[in-house]
Every structure is written in structure tokens, then in C-alpha cells.
Amino acid sequence: MSGRIGRAGSALTWSALRAVKCAELEQAADGWGRVSNRADAVRDRIEGELLPGLRDTQKGEAPDAAVRGLRRLGKNFQYIYTECGLLRTTLNSLAHEIKTQQRVLQGALDDAAALRFTVQADGSVTYPAAGEGLIDGKPLAGGTASGVPNPGMVPPTGLVAPNPNAGKAQDIADRVAQAVRAAADADWRYARILRSLKAHEGLGVPVATWTDAAADAVTVRDAARGYLKGAIPHDASPAERKAWWAGLTDEQREEYLAVYPDQIGNLDGIPALVRDAANRDNLQLLMGKLEGRDDADSATKLAALREIDRQLRAVPEVGEPPMYLLGIGDQGNGRAIVSYGNPDTSRNVAAYVPGLNTSLDKEFAEGDLKRARDLAIVANRHGAPAAAITWLGYDAPQSPDGLASLAVAVGGRANEGGSTFREFMNGMEVANENADPHMTAIGHSYGSRTVGAAAQESGGIPGVDEIVFVGSPGVGVDSADDLGVGREHVFVGAAANDIVTKVPSKEESATGLVEMLYRGPAAAYILGGLADGGDDDVWFGRDPASESFGARRFEVGDGPFVIEKGKLNVDAHSEYFDPEIDRASVENMALIIAGHAGRIKGEEPR
């Protein structure tokens, strides 16, 4: 049917619409689905069996070249999987729209038959005489009503036909015309989409091809909105989303993954393996999308996505847990949620929230992801399987050129991020296969303010048993008792030379606000600290490392002095997660994650 009808629909008749065999379209869709699934299976075998086996058993230039070839082949099969999946959904969506119009048409034909009207080949409806003439009392003459495909385009005449059959016939004729017109329009739209779903010639899948695939995905999503998108439970709870996914057929799941990987991959409550598969595909589409742009923001995010893609394709070293991509997106400052270890099967699950100046850039992809990987590696040495997550699911405040932003002072980003983080952790709890998983939330720097905001909402952070703050400028409350897990389950690491943990509050120093906003935390500490009254307040409430706050302070390294060789040094703020520089901090956090908080090395509160 597709491609044989013009936009105006003049070549389509109601009898042709009725005769369309939508089952054949659906069978063709099934065929493309089988090709898509086979391509996906081959890709999994290449990346899950062949690459690790080759790397572990062969060394030298030839095996290295073979690895590169296999990786390229894996990406090619990923492209086949994506495009064939889009073809399947396009055909199924076309069949869905045609069947809808066939039902409208059949309803009109049934009504015509019941009234003994005749539907002509051109769609007009002939009706018999009926009613009584005012003068002679004889039945009023019958006639023929022609359908109007777009009733809104024809202004009402104000005239009422005297024969009571006339209005009924007009309604039937209009419905026939509208069904034919809608079906012809759908055919025209889907013919264009199917023509666009055509790969470049050759065996390779260059970047430009992924850029085209990203555009193809957008087009199919728009076309399939009525067929698929409306059913995605965006406003439901994570538990309801889990139940929704479990209730879908395999074919429905495959279509959602092929057409909406961006939405399924970021849907809290969906199994981690599903989210990972969806996000790996969406990662390719995002890179293709950003490749087509030349602005600085796109270039920055593209560099991060390429680095994440590189890590996902690398074979884990011995003792290193596998990566799972639980979220990815280019909105705002960028989104990325990466787990080391499967959070659905691990007994212990930790999520680390980064802070000020974190965005989707190469530094994040290399540094912040490594923090979770190192935590997972060490935590796994202490017993039950552990998964550690880097969660960039919000827009952390940015302070370009070292100037702290107003968002840091007012905490608005923390409140927004906190709500999103709560839902994510709820999803982790719901999807976990253990009866009572042990879950830990870790906030660093401004991320501690975000975790604090999440904990302050009604019910606290779902599923979280332990809360850890490191390098914290305050968490928005004055007592560990206000965080929903009990003060014995709140832990704080504060390096002696970390200036962020000592920034004086605006109540302490008349210069504090000015320095924090316009010169950054270092200047606020050095200049504002001259007016420090010696209390335990920091920028966002009471110092979490203070005795009055009531948390359990654990041992961390001191970090380098703030002033070294006449220069400002703030490295103490970022060394908490580095096992080579601050082993004590990493070991203590790993013990907390593993459920062995009783074994941490404590430190006296301030």
C-alpha cells in the first residue's frame, strides 16, 4: 500500500481501504524484528565472548588488529539492530493507523446497511425517500450525500434537509471520506519514513550514518506517538513502571527499546540490564546527533560520550566489575548514570552524587566514573557483591572562571536534584532482586547538599540505610537526626586541609556572602575566616563534621596544605575517592557500603 497513494488521497477508495491486509504489514514488521534480534544477538556474542576471549588468550599486532575489527563489526551490528527495529515499528505503526481507519470505515458501512442506504464507489451515500411533504403529505424524495473529508474546512449553510434520511446519510458519507483521507495521509507519511530508513552503501558505519540514524529515530518516534509513546508510564511510581514493563510482551519490549531507548533507558524501576541495553543504543544516537553540530557545548558533551563509549566497549580487568549505563542524556549540563556492578543483583548498592562544576565532559567521564569504579572494587573485597554508581542526574551548579554561582548559595539546584535522586534510589530498591538490599547514598561537595535535600523530603531517601558526606559545605540541616536514617547511620569525612568544609557561613562573616558568590570558596575561607567566630556553622547549615551535628566522622587523609609554595592548592577537596592518595577514605567508605560500618576507623569530630 505505502508509496502508491498521493497526499490528497484521490487514488484511494473506501473499498481499497477495506481490502488492505494489515496482517501482511505486521508480518513484514515481524520479519524485520527477527533480523533486528539476530543482529543484537551477534553483537552480544562479539562483545561478550569473542572480544574477551581474544584479548585474554592472544597478544601481538595481529590479535590487536582483530580486536579493532571485531569492535567495528560489533558497532555495525548495533546499527543493523537499531535501523531494523525502527523499520519494524514503522510498519507496525502504519498497520495500527490503517486498522483504526478501517474500524471507522466499517462502522459507517454497518450503519449504512442497517438503514438500507447505498454507499457508492466514490464514497457518496444514496438514501431513500422518507418523511412527509407539508403540502401533499407524500414521502420526501431521496438523494445522495457526498462526504466531506475535512468538515472544519466547510462552513455550515444553516439549511436543514427536510428528508430525515439526509442528515444520517451525510454523517455516514463524512465518516467514510474522513477514514479514507486519514488512511491516505498515513500512507503518504509512512512511505516517506520508509524511504528514509535506507543505509549508506558499503560495509562500514561511519559517524554520518549514526547522525542519520538519530534523525531516523526522531522521525519514527513522532510517527509512532499514538502507537507506543502514550503507554510509557512517565508519571507512575518506580514500582508501577516495573509492573508495566513486566506485563509487556517480548515484541512490545523490543519495539520500545528500538524506538524509545532514551525514555526506557532513563525510566526508574526498569531492570538495570534493560536500561543498560537501551542507553547503549541511545548513546550511539546521541553521538550521531551531536556530531552534526559545531557549538562548544555539543563538542564538550560529545567528548564525554565518546569516552563513556570507549569504556563500555573495553573488557574489564581482573577484579573490576562490569559497567552498566543506567542513564544518559544531553539535556541541560548533560546526564550520565553509570554503575560498576549490577545494582539489581548486588546485595550492597551505593550511589555517589558529585557536586559543584560537575557536567557531562571528558573530566567527568574519566574522573567521576573512576570514583565509583574504585569504590566498587574495594567494597567487593569485603563480602557480599557490591555495585557503586556515579549519579549525574541533575544540573549541578557551575562556577565558570572560579566564580561560585548564586545557585550554590540558595540551594535550588540541590532541592531539584534531591527529588530526582530520591526517585532514582526508589527505582534501585524496587528493581533489586534481594529481599532487603543494603543501600548507601554518598554526597561529595555540593552533592552532599543534594543528598541532604533528598533525605529531608517526607520518608527520606527510599531504601537508603546509610548516608555518607565527604568534602561537605553543609547539607541543609543542623543535625544528623534530620536525615531519616538515624545519626548512627550518617557518616562524614572532612580532610583537615579541605577548605570547602570550612567555608564560614554568611552569619559568621560580613564578607562571607560576597566572597562565596564572587571569588569562590577559597577566598571566602581565607578572607571570611578572619571573622570566624569559632562556631560550628558552615555555608549550608551546621558543619557535618562537628560534634553538635552528631554524625560519625571517619578517618581521611589531611590532603595538601591550602597554600603551597605561595600558590593556592584545593586538591584536598577532591582526593577522598582516590585509593592511591587517600586509602583511608576509600577503605572506610567501602566498609560502609559493604555493611561493615563497625570496622571503620573513626576520627574525633571538630
Side-chain angles (χ1 to χ4, degrees):
M1 177 178 175
S2 284
R4 296 189 291 106
I5 304 170
R7 184 174 175 81
S10 58
L12 181 66
T13 64
W14 65 263
S15 58
L17 172 58
R18 184 175 61 176
V20 173
K21 295 182 174 65
C22 289
E24 293 181 357
L25 289 173
E26 293 169 334
Q27 288 171 5
D30 290 342
W32 285 110
R34 287 191 292 273
V35 174
S36 178
N37 291 339
R38 283 198 292 269
D40 193 37
V42 173
R43 177 189 62 174
D44 285 345
R45 187 175 178 217
I46 288 171
E47 297 183 353
E49 298 178 21
L50 299 181
L51 278 173
L54 186 61
R55 195 206 68 167
D56 293 342
T57 61
Q58 304 291 325
K59 303 294 181 183
E61 292 185 8
D64 289 346
V67 165
R68 290 193 296 270
L70 282 172
R71 284 178 175 159
R72 184 169 58 250
L73 186 61
K75 293 194 75 169
N76 289 358
F77 276 109
Q78 185 170 17
Y79 174 76
I80 293 170
Y81 161 79
T82 298
E83 288 292 287
C84 291
L86 293 176
L87 276 165
R88 171 181 53 194
T89 299
T90 299
L91 291 170
N92 275 334
S93 187
L94 171 60
H96 170 77
E97 291 200 31
I98 296 301
K99 284 195 291 187
T100 298
Q101 299 312 319
Q102 285 179 326
R103 286 193 293 270
V104 172
L105 171 64
Q106 192 59 51
L109 296 177
D110 290 344
D111 289 346
L115 293 168
R116 297 188 177 180
F117 294 175
T118 301
V119 181
Q120 306 295 335
D122 64 357
S124 61
V125 177
T126 301
Y127 55 92
E132 296 182 352
L134 295 177
I135 296 175
D136 57 12
K138 294 181 179 180
L140 298 171
T144 299
S146 296
V148 179
N150 297 304
M153 302 295 291
V154 180
T157 64
L159 301 176
V160 177
N163 187 329
N165 284 332
K168 298 174 184 177
Q170 187 63 56
D171 173 68
I172 292 171
D174 288 348
R175 286 152 61 195
V176 170
Q178 289 159 27
V180 171
R181 173 56 186 255
D185 183 68
D187 181 83
W188 180 82
R189 285 185 288 109
Y190 283 98
R192 291 186 64 195
I193 294 171
L194 289 169
R195 283 193 294 270
S196 72
L197 293 175
K198 182 179 179 181
H200 295 286
E201 293 184 3
L203 297 177
V205 182
V207 170
T209 302
W210 278 110
T211 302
D212 289 344
D216 291 341
V218 171
T219 302
V220 175
R221 288 171 197 167
D222 290 341
R225 184 174 290 110
Y227 171 57
L228 284 177
K229 185 178 180 182
I232 299 177
H234 292 290
D235 296 329
S237 69
E240 290 168 333
R241 293 168 182 164
K242 179 183 179 182
W244 167 77
W245 184 260
L248 296 176
T249 65
D250 288 342
E251 182 178 357
Q252 287 172 324
R253 292 174 185 168
E254 290 163 6
E255 290 202 70
Y256 279 114
L257 284 170
V259 182
Y260 297 108
D262 58 327
Q263 297 180 43
I264 299 301
N266 291 284
L267 203 61
D268 296 322
I270 298 297
L273 288 175
V274 175
R275 293 180 69 163
D276 178 65
N279 285 315
R280 286 177 187 245
D281 292 330
N282 191 42
L283 176 61
Q284 303 303 318
L285 297 175
L286 282 173
M287 289 192 293
K289 170 185 171 183
L290 296 179
E291 282 281 2
R293 300 177 178 177
D294 58 3
D295 59 284
D297 180 64
S298 295
T300 297
K301 291 173 180 173
L302 181 58
L305 295 178
R306 285 174 174 165
E307 173 59 21
I308 292 173
D309 183 56
R310 185 197 67 76
Q311 292 182 36
L312 286 168
R313 295 182 184 281
V315 179
E317 299 292 340
V318 176
E320 181 179 304
M323 282 177 74
Y324 295 86
L325 190 58
L326 303 181
I328 198 71
D330 65 340
Q331 64 268 42
N333 296 330
R335 302 286 187 270
I337 305 172
V338 177
S339 178
Y340 291 89
N342 188 334
D344 289 357
T345 59
S346 296
R347 173 71 178 84
N348 300 304
V349 179
Y352 144 67
V353 181
L356 180 67
N357 287 333
T358 307
S359 62
L360 187 60
D361 55 21
K362 193 170 183 180
E363 181 181 355
F364 165 84
E366 293 177 338
D368 287 273
L369 297 191
K370 182 179 182 299
R371 292 177 174 182
R373 183 171 67 245
D374 288 340
L375 283 175
I377 290 171
V378 180
N380 272 293
R381 295 171 184 165
H382 292 293
I389 301 165
T390 293
W391 185 85
L392 182 60
Y394 78 123
D395 280 335
Q398 305 294 300
S399 58
D401 302 321
L403 305 179
S405 67
L406 183 62
V408 177
V410 300
R413 296 284 180 87
N415 294 329
E416 295 173 9
S419 295
T420 306
F421 182 64
R422 286 186 78 255
E423 182 161 307
F424 172 77
M425 294 304 284
N426 190 5
M428 291 295 98
E429 179 190 28
V430 164
N432 193 282
E433 299 172 5
N434 293 279
D436 184 21
H438 178 255
M439 300 176 66
T440 304
I442 303 172
H444 173 243
S445 188
Y446 187 83
S448 67
R449 176 69 181 88
T450 302
V451 172
Q456 291 171 62
E457 292 194 27
S458 177
I461 307 176
V464 167
D465 303 285
E466 326 285 354
I467 295 177
V468 178
F469 301 122
V470 287
S472 176
V475 301
V477 297
D478 291 332
S479 172
D481 293 324
D482 298 327
L483 296 172
V485 294
R487 62 170 52 200
E488 68 277 9
H489 296 285
V490 179
F491 303 86
V492 178
N497 295 316
D498 183 354
I499 59 175
V500 173
T501 69
K502 298 181 178 180
V503 173
S505 69
K506 51 184 176 292
E507 286 77 15
E508 283 185 315
S509 169
T511 62
L513 178 61
V514 173
E515 301 304 336
M516 184 69 176
L517 292 180
Y518 296 103
R519 299 191 185 182
Y525 170 62
I526 295 170
L527 299 178
L530 297 175
D532 191 342
D535 60 29
D536 52 12
D537 286 339
V538 285
W539 195 256
F540 292 115
R542 189 153 292 167
D543 178 5
S546 68
E547 183 175 7
S548 59
F549 187 83
R552 296 169 64 181
R553 188 179 181 189
F554 57 87
E555 181 182 314
V556 300
D558 290 344
F561 290 112
V562 176
I563 303 296
E564 284 193 339
K565 299 180 181 179
K567 294 182 179 181
L568 181 67
N569 188 327
V570 296
D571 288 350
H573 183 58
S574 58
E575 294 179 350
Y576 296 98
F577 297 90
D578 193 326
E580 295 184 3
I581 297 176
D582 193 346
R583 185 70 189 183
S585 176
V586 173
E587 189 71 28
N588 281 324
M589 284 192 283
L591 285 167
I592 295 167
I593 293 169
H596 299 301
R599 292 165 49 189
I600 66 171
K601 293 182 179 179
E603 188 169 346
E604 289 298 316
R606 289 174 175 166

